[in-house]
């Protein structure tokens, strides 16, 4: 598909029915996990006029009903309803799946989707443990499926520009990359009830089982049974940005320090510093603090690449380059044409283009796993109180 035609499809109104496109361009999508993020990304998929949402699966009825209603706003869309993802994967009409469930389900669902022969768009982090990630990367080598992980910076114009600046040598030798993310999620009491029926046992799935707890469902990102806390949730994005900008591979070692949790009911800290060492001869330092003051979203995250000739600052919406000895005024400035929100549009577009062309997308599992690995190692470092190494040859974490 040529670029002009792809741009037309992305920009077309959702009311254009999918069958208006040639059969070779049509893609039927199944959505597994229709919470706020899953439903939002589904609507981004629906901007492609040749995409039809054919099925939606969720174990929480309010989410399922809301997603069905949202999807059906596009003319000609009547998704099948599933409450078990394996039944959706068995649907022969579904070609590609969007997996936007809690993190503890990603590994098994991706493996099952591969076995079913589906193309896959899976939200980050890719997996919950280093062992899972190593198995997924091996599985990717053997499959013909197209797999995109939701690391949208890899499709984002601003980060592509930044990567080119680093590669040009304009910054000189970069031995440290620093990133921070500041926000505040401490307000509010723990959840005690839900708005509708939930299949609690199916939702827990492969995780350790507990009696029903509404807060575990609502705040799953901040429980070790289901995810890696705010460090993993935001750190996977930031470290993936480091890797992309620096053309880095796996970390050689990771160390981390953190505070205690202050959010009601959860077991993961909101203030953490993670330091990763790389064989490309630089270190990446990420500080996350979700007990800070509230920022406007465009200002809550920044990365700085410290070269010996210049420094590059790159955030959500713009980048600036400051030359040595002239750091008061940027020598170069670049703003994203459409802002950070458009990065998801670009990432989904890249995935669909690759589904049709059978090319490799911008964020396959082999590139996404290293970012998940860094934050997993950081959490293990917090737990064990020591620096940990990655044995790339054996694919495992070692002391």
């Amino acid at each position: 598909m040529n670029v002009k035609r792809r741009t037309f499809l992305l920009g077309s109104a959702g009311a254009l029915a999918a069958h208006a496109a040639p059969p070779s361009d049509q893609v039927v999508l199944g959505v597994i996990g229709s919470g706020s993020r899953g439903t939002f990304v589904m609507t981004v998929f629906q901007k492609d006029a040749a995409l039809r949402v054919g099925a939606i699966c969720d174990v929480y009825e309010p989410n399922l009903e809301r997603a069905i209603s949202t999807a059906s706003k596009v003319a000609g869309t009547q998704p099948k309803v599933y409450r078990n993802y394996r039944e959706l994967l068995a649907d022969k009409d579904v070609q590609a799946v969007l997996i936007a469930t809690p993190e503890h389900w990603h590994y098994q669902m991706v493996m099952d989707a591969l076995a079913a022969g589906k193309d896959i768009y899976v939200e980050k982090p890719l997996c919950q443990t280093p062992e899972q990630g190593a198995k997924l990367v091996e599985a990717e080598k053997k499959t013909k499926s197209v797999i995109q992980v939701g690391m949208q910076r890899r499709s984002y114009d601003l980060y592509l520009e930044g990567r080119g600046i680093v590669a040009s040598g304009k910054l000189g030798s970069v031995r440290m990359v620093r990133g921070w993310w500041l926000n505040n999620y401490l307000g509010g009491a723990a959840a005690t009830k839900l708005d509708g029926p939930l299949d609690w046992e199916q939702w827990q799935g492969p995780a350790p089982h507990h009696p029903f707890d509404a807060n575990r469902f609502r705040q799953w990102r901040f429980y070790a049974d289901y995810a890696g806390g705010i460090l993993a949730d935001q750190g996977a994005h930031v470290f993936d940005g480091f890797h992309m900008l620096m053309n880095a591979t796996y970390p050689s070692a990771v160390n981390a320090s953190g505070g205690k949790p202050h959010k009601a009911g959860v077991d993961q800290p909101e203030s953490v510093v993670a330091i990763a060492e790389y064989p490309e001869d630089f270190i990446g330092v990420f500080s996350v603090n979700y007990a800070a003051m509230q920022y406007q979203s465009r200002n809550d995250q920044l990365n700085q690449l410290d070269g010996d000739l210049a420094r590059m600052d790159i955030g959500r919406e713009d980048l600036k380059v400051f030359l040595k000895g002239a750091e008061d005024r940027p020598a170069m400035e670049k703003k994203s044409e459409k802002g950070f929100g458009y990065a998801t549009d670009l990432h989904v577009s890249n995935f669909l283009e690759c589904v049709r062309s059978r090319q490799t997308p911008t964020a396959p599992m082999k590139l996404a796993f290293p970012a998940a690995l860094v934050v997993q190692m950081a959490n293990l470092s917090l737990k064990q109180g020591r620096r940990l190494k990655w044995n790339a040859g054996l694919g495992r974490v070692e002391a």
Side-chain angles (χ1 to χ4, degrees):
M1 179 191 285
N2 63 51
V3 174
K4 288 184 178 179
R5 185 161 185 279
R6 180 169 63 87
T7 302
F8 168 76
L9 289 176
L10 274 174
S12 300
L16 289 176
H19 53 260
S24 60
D25 279 351
Q26 292 178 24
V27 177
V28 178
L29 179 75
V31 179
I32 303 174
S34 58
S36 58
R37 179 64 185 176
T39 300
F40 167 73
V41 177
M42 176 189 74
T43 65
V44 176
F45 271 90
Q46 288 185 292
K47 293 180 182 181
D48 187 314
L51 184 286
R52 178 169 64 85
V53 176
I56 300 176
C57 176
D58 206 290
V59 297
Y60 181 49
E61 289 298 316
N63 284 352
L64 184 59
E65 292 170 5
R66 190 178 304 112
I68 293 293
S69 176
T70 300
S72 300
K73 292 177 181 178
V74 174
T77 303
Q78 294 180 316
K80 299 175 187 176
V81 179
Y82 293 100
R83 292 172 178 83
N84 185 299
Y85 79 93
R86 291 181 178 89
E87 295 176 1
L88 184 149
L89 292 179
D91 189 330
K92 300 299 184 182
D93 292 334
V94 173
Q95 177 183 352
V97 293
L98 162 63
I99 299 173
T101 62
E103 190 177 322
H104 70 286
W105 266 113
H106 287 182
Y107 168 75
Q108 190 60 55
M109 287 181 174
V110 170
M111 284 298 204
D112 289 345
L114 289 175
K118 309 299 185 184
D119 295 325
I120 303 163
Y121 186 108
V122 57
E123 276 296 300
K124 61 80 207 167
L126 171 63
C127 54
Q128 196 177 11
T129 69
E131 294 77 14
Q132 290 176 352
K135 291 177 183 178
L136 287 170
V137 171
E138 285 303 308
E140 186 175 52
K141 295 177 182 177
K142 302 172 184 176
T143 187
K144 294 182 180 179
S145 294
V146 172
I147 309 162
Q148 179 88 301
V149 184
M151 318 296 290
Q152 63 265 35
R153 284 164 176 76
R154 289 193 173 267
S155 298
Y156 187 28
D157 58 345
L158 194 69
Y159 270 72
L160 293 170
E161 180 89 5
R163 182 173 64 180
I165 291 171
V166 177
S168 73
K170 189 181 296 292
L171 305 184
S173 297
V174 178
R175 302 300 178 213
M176 179 181 287
V177 181
R178 297 173 286 121
W180 51 258
W181 202 312
L182 302 174
N183 210 317
N184 194 303
Y185 66 9
L186 299 184
T192 58
K193 62 180 182 179
L194 302 181
D195 298 327
L198 166 69
D199 186 334
W200 174 244
E201 292 306 313
Q202 190 177 176
W203 182 85
Q204 291 187 98
H209 281 222
H210 297 270
F212 171 73
D213 182 340
N215 203 56
R216 282 179 171 268
F217 175 73
R218 288 294 190 194
Q219 306 287 341
W220 60 264
R221 288 177 176 83
F222 315 126
Y223 287 90
D225 286 342
Y226 320 116
I230 200 65
L231 169 65
D233 193 49
Q234 306 296 38
H237 278 310
V238 171
F239 276 108
D240 187 61
F242 290 0
H243 298 169
M244 177 186 176
L245 294 166
M246 294 293 293
N247 194 29
T249 54
Y250 289 92
S252 53
V254 177
N255 195 18
S257 294
K260 66 180 182 180
H262 293 89
K263 185 174 179 64
V266 307
D267 59 23
Q268 296 292 287
E270 71 277 350
S271 303
V272 183
V273 177
I275 302 172
E277 305 165 30
Y278 292 91
E280 290 82 9
D281 194 19
F282 77 98
I283 62 173
V285 183
F286 173 55
S287 303
V288 62
N289 179 15
Y290 263 52
M293 76 175 195
Q294 197 87 36
Y295 283 77
Q296 298 179 70
S297 61
R298 69 175 183 271
N299 297 323
D300 66 358
Q301 202 272 309
L302 182 69
N303 306 306
Q304 296 181 306
L305 285 74
D306 295 309
D308 58 359
L309 297 181
R311 185 187 88 228
M312 182 172 73
D313 293 359
I314 181 167
R316 288 182 184 264
E317 306 288 342
D318 56 17
L319 70 79
K320 299 176 182 178
V321 175
F322 300 85
L323 300 180
K324 179 173 62 175
E327 66 274 9
D328 292 333
R329 181 175 299 176
M332 177 190 300
E333 293 186 66
K334 169 75 175 182
K335 284 190 176 291
S336 172
E337 290 185 12
K338 295 189 176 181
F340 184 69
Y342 195 60
T344 299
D345 292 65
L346 294 168
H347 209 48
V348 167
S349 172
N350 173 255
F351 171 67
L352 289 174
E353 187 172 3
C354 291
V355 166
R356 290 162 177 141
S357 68
R358 312 314 295 171
Q359 300 300 307
T360 301
T362 58
M365 293 196 294
K366 68 179 180 180
L367 294 181
F369 172 49
L373 175 64
V374 173
V375 293
Q376 290 161 6
M377 290 177 67
N379 275 326
L380 289 170
S381 173
L382 288 175
K383 185 177 181 180
Q384 298 179 22
R386 59 182 173 177
R387 174 175 172 269
L388 297 173
K389 299 178 182 178
W390 174 247
N391 187 322
L394 297 177
R396 69 186 185 194
V397 177
E398 300 176 340

